[in-house]
Amino acid sequence: MCGRFTFVATPEEVMEEYQLELPFDFPVRYNIAPTQDILTIINDGERNRAGNMRWGLIPFWAKDKTIGNKMINARVETADEKPSFKRLMERRRCLILADSFYEWKKDGKGKRPMRIKVSDRQIFTFAGLWDRWKQGEEELVTCTILTKEANDFMSDIHHRMPVILPKSHEQDWLEFNLKNATDMKNFALSLPEEELEAYEVSQHVNNPRNDDEHCIKALTE
């Protein structure tokens, strides 16, 4: 799964990297947790647009918005079959911006938090799905991060990992035109692997209320 990540890039860096306007500012985040707002990019059929979405998918048909607390991730291997995700795989895909994510490695001492980065990119994106939920006067735009079986590098840390989009494939994922859900699943599963690196951080990151530079410091520092 992917349950925490970071994004410490500046608005200027995002605008330069993705050649789009940001109609709002956003804070540096060292410990992003589910149900919080996160920076995403969608394509509206004419252009790419950046915006905030709440992390934790609430399908448009949901009666209770708390379902989003359990839908922070979606397994890409079955996303083309699940009612909550199939329609979104076809027409509501997004980029979720990050610069690292956390995973907890199990060993004889318990669980050790690890920070994982893409080796040659400061900013990268997770493959995401989004939906719009409305009930009465309340309206929320929410999203989920697609995950897959861990690659050789990640398998030493955890058996699942987020789907990371290589830079050259980000626009293919965003493309607005209606796509077949199974085709998009196969696309996500066939993506080239990004080279990753990881280091252990302190238990400070375990508490989602902690959102400061100490979260990303190597344990040996």
Side-chain angles (χ1 to χ4, degrees):
M1 65 175 293
C2 179
R4 301 281 184 79
F5 65 97
T6 71
F7 194 57
V8 300
T10 66
E12 291 74 22
E13 289 170 330
V14 173
M15 288 188 288
E16 180 178 355
E17 180 74 14
Y18 290 96
Q19 300 299 303
L20 47 71
E21 293 296 321
L22 286 174
F24 55 88
D25 203 352
F26 54 86
V28 169
R29 297 297 312 280
Y30 297 97
N31 195 8
I32 299 171
T35 75
Q36 297 175 352
D37 285 346
I38 57 178
L39 185 62
T40 64
I41 298 174
I42 66 168
N43 184 280
D44 63 9
E46 297 181 0
R47 61 188 176 92
N48 292 346
R49 295 193 292 115
N52 281 326
M53 295 185 191
R54 178 167 145 172
W55 183 16
L57 187 78
I58 307 173
F60 77 94
W61 44 259
K63 301 297 183 184
D64 184 353
K65 66 181 180 181
T66 61
I67 191 176
N69 300 341
K70 301 177 181 179
M71 298 181 71
I72 64 171
N73 293 158
R75 295 175 68 95
V76 70
E77 296 93 339
T78 57
D80 61 331
E81 304 168 6
K82 303 293 185 181
S84 298
F85 307 129
K86 181 178 180 179
R87 178 181 62 91
L88 308 183
M89 286 285 282
E90 293 175 343
R91 65 185 71 202
R92 286 195 164 175
R93 300 176 300 275
C94 64
L95 306 180
I96 296 174
L97 282 77
D99 60 13
S100 74
F101 62 97
Y102 299 109
E103 195 51 81
W104 280 256
K105 181 177 180 178
K106 292 182 180 179
D107 62 18
K109 301 177 182 179
K111 294 183 179 180
R112 296 186 289 131
M114 308 291 292
R115 186 188 185 205
I116 300 101
K117 304 178 66 179
V118 174
S119 298
D120 60 353
R121 296 169 64 189
Q122 179 185 358
I123 301 173
F124 62 88
T125 59
F126 303 127
L129 305 175
W130 69 278
D131 209 351
R132 189 183 304 274
W133 177 86
K134 187 173 183 180
Q135 191 170 87
E137 297 299 315
E138 186 176 15
E139 184 172 347
L140 294 170
V141 180
T142 63
C143 63
T144 188
I145 296 172
L146 287 168
T147 66
K148 64 177 184 176
E149 185 176 346
N151 60 18
D152 290 343
F153 178 88
M154 278 297 300
S155 62
D156 184 54
I157 300 173
H158 195 271
H159 67 283
R160 302 288 297 175
M161 65 179 291
V163 175
I164 298 171
L165 291 159
K167 183 65 178 177
S168 59
H169 291 71
E170 288 177 333
Q171 196 61 38
D172 296 327
W173 181 255
L174 272 187
E175 194 171 303
F176 182 78
N177 293 338
L178 177 65
K179 299 290 185 179
N180 178 276
T182 300
D183 289 344
M184 295 312 299
K185 175 192 73 174
N186 293 335
F187 169 82
L189 289 172
S190 66
L191 290 169
E193 296 286 356
E194 295 285 85
E195 183 176 347
L196 302 176
E197 57 190 53
Y199 61 87
E200 186 174 356
V201 296
S202 77
Q203 301 286 337
H204 183 72
V205 75
N206 290 4
N207 188 336
R209 290 191 294 270
N210 296 330
D211 190 1
D212 52 51
E213 288 187 50
H214 189 55
C215 291
I216 65 173
K217 286 185 177 179
L219 190 61
T220 53
E221 290 184 15

